[in-house]
Amino acid sequence: AERGDGARGARRVVGKGGVAAALGVAAALGHAHDAAFVGAVAAALADTMGTEMGTLSRTEPRSLPFFRKVPHGTPGAVSLRGLWGALIGGILVAVVARSAWIWIGGRAPVARDVVFACGAAGFAASVAESLIVGLAPAVKRAPGWVRNLATTAIGATLAHIAADAIRSARG
């Protein structure tokens, strides 16, 4: 239902993975931002799963924030099935991140509640993209990879903010 029959090219890969890659380079240089990295990856998977699951919905998707019916494949459109897919994608990244850290290092360097906040940030970023596209129609015309880059940047930022808030609340 998407433009180009959903084909993924190099630009789309940069859009989905560019923020996480930049955070990986920063970590290699000694400036680790674990929560932001998980948030960026969670946003990428949440957006992808939301889109893929949403196209399988039998009901017409809606544009946010006004809930107008729009055709399948419309940038920013949401459906209940797509929202569930996005939520599962965000949570899945959190579970895998936490499990990988435990498996590799014996314990996670990031607390469980922080990691799950990062997964929630990924879901929130996916929904935020839909809201932004619905409120600013010009964004809908932006190339998909640019919207993806923005979505993962939002996910990274929300995860970083959430992690800092949780850590500050602990003292």
Side-chain angles (χ1 to χ4, degrees):
E2 288 184 63
R3 199 174 3 186
D5 295 324
R8 305 297 193 244
R11 289 184 197 155
R12 189 70 66 101
V13 171
V14 168
K16 291 282 186 182
V19 172
L23 290 164
V25 170
L29 296 173
H31 304 286
H33 299 284
D34 296 336
F37 178 84
V38 174
V41 176
L45 187 59
D47 183 53
T48 298
M49 285 187 66
T51 298
E52 297 304 323
M53 296 293 292
T55 59
L56 299 175
S57 179
R58 291 188 180 129
T59 60
E60 283 185 289
R62 307 285 179 145
S63 67
L64 295 180
F66 306 111
F67 298 99
R68 281 179 264 140
K69 289 183 180 182
V70 294
H72 286 282
T74 300
V78 298
S79 67
L80 189 56
R81 183 174 281 187
L83 289 170
W84 274 111
L87 181 61
I88 290 167
I91 291 170
L92 183 61
V93 169
V95 168
V96 169
R98 175 102 174 138
S99 299
W101 277 322
I102 291 170
W103 182 68
I104 291 169
R107 67 176 191 80
V110 177
R112 180 178 44 241
D113 53 350
V114 171
V115 173
F116 283 100
C118 295
F123 170 72
S126 170
V127 174
E129 179 201 7
S130 295
L131 278 168
I132 292 166
V133 168
L135 289 170
V139 175
K140 190 183 295 186
R141 293 186 294 277
W145 73 273
V146 172
R147 290 191 313 271
N148 291 334
L149 193 65
T151 301
T152 57
I154 292 168
T157 302
L158 292 175
H160 182 76
I161 291 167
D164 280 353
I166 291 169
R167 290 173 182 144
S168 291
R170 286 193 188 129

